[in-house]
Amino acid sequence: SGPLLVTLVAAKFADVSAEPYNMSYIHDIVFGPFPSMRHFWESASGGAVIIRPYYIHWGWVTLPRTKADYCNTGNVKNAFNNITKDVIDILYSKGVKLPSYSYLVIVLNDVLPCGPAAGRGTISFRIFNTPYGTIRLAVSQIYHYDDSLKNEPDVLVFAHEFGHNLGLHHSGAPFLSGSEY
């Protein structure tokens, strides 16, 4: 509960030049009034959660590796961690130091071949080693949708993955028309 500091970054793989969303759209999906990730969690929590932007990188940053490079690290968890580390390093090179116990939302411009999904999120906080020391971050990575998923509003994936960041797991119920929770 209370104010949650969220950093928002859009990142391109080194081998994929597409920028499928513009930054105004991404900003509104995360921080806008309605429908947005912020609105959903502030409403669902009865105002206990207050989502505040810490830093928004306007424009797409280019990751130093290709999709295959990330996937060739052994498994999806390693790919997730390496993408997160690379984004933290990019932010640091721009003078941005993420505070411990904050939230990082990374919008990617394509789906990883080693872990196709609409997105992934850490369950609560994980420890990340950064150029400025060890910090705890909750991280969501949102992947560009494929055509089969375009019938669902983008905000659902952002809100879903941020729910993991807040410590929520999947319910285990069958996924039927969005009724998993």
Side-chain angles (χ1 to χ4, degrees):
S1 65
L4 310 179
L5 298 177
V6 176
T7 295
L8 177 61
V9 177
K12 301 187 291 190
F13 293 104
D15 59 334
V16 181
S17 62
E19 297 178 4
Y21 302 117
N22 69 48
M23 284 308 296
S24 292
Y25 176 75
I26 295 169
H27 172 274
D28 289 349
I29 288 293
V30 175
F31 298 113
F34 178 82
S36 71
M37 182 187 88
R38 178 192 65 80
H39 177 264
F40 175 81
W41 283 109
E42 289 180 2
S43 296
S45 71
V49 168
I50 303 165
I51 294 175
R52 295 292 175 255
Y54 174 73
Y55 176 80
I56 301 166
H57 189 276
W58 287 93
W60 288 78
V61 300
T62 302
L63 295 167
R65 306 178 216 196
T66 66
K67 291 186 333 178
D69 290 340
Y70 287 108
C71 285
N72 289 336
T73 58
N75 58 42
V76 176
K77 182 179 177 184
N78 289 342
F80 182 97
N81 289 337
N82 287 330
I83 290 168
T84 301
K85 182 188 176 323
D86 288 344
V87 168
I88 291 169
D89 290 346
I90 289 168
L91 290 174
Y92 180 71
S93 74
K94 297 179 181 300
V96 178
K97 294 180 180 180
L98 299 176
S100 206
Y101 295 100
S102 67
Y103 299 80
L104 176 59
V105 175
I106 303 168
V107 180
L108 294 167
N109 69 332
D110 205 354
V111 177
L112 281 171
C114 55
R120 296 198 184 284
T122 61
I123 304 295
S124 197
F125 295 99
R126 283 193 189 157
I127 295 172
F128 290 92
N129 294 316
T130 71
Y132 45 93
T134 300
I135 61 172
R136 292 183 177 271
L137 286 177
V139 181
S140 291
Q141 292 180 5
I142 310 301
Y143 310 133
H144 177 58
Y145 277 100
D146 64 28
D147 290 337
S148 67
L149 298 171
K150 277 297 185 188
N151 61 340
E152 299 291 340
D154 292 342
V155 71
L156 292 178
V157 174
F158 284 81
H160 171 101
E161 298 307 335
F162 199 75
H164 293 313
N165 296 162
L166 296 175
L168 301 173
H169 296 267
H170 290 162
S171 68
F175 186 77
L176 301 171
S177 304
S179 63
E180 182 179 19
Y181 300 96

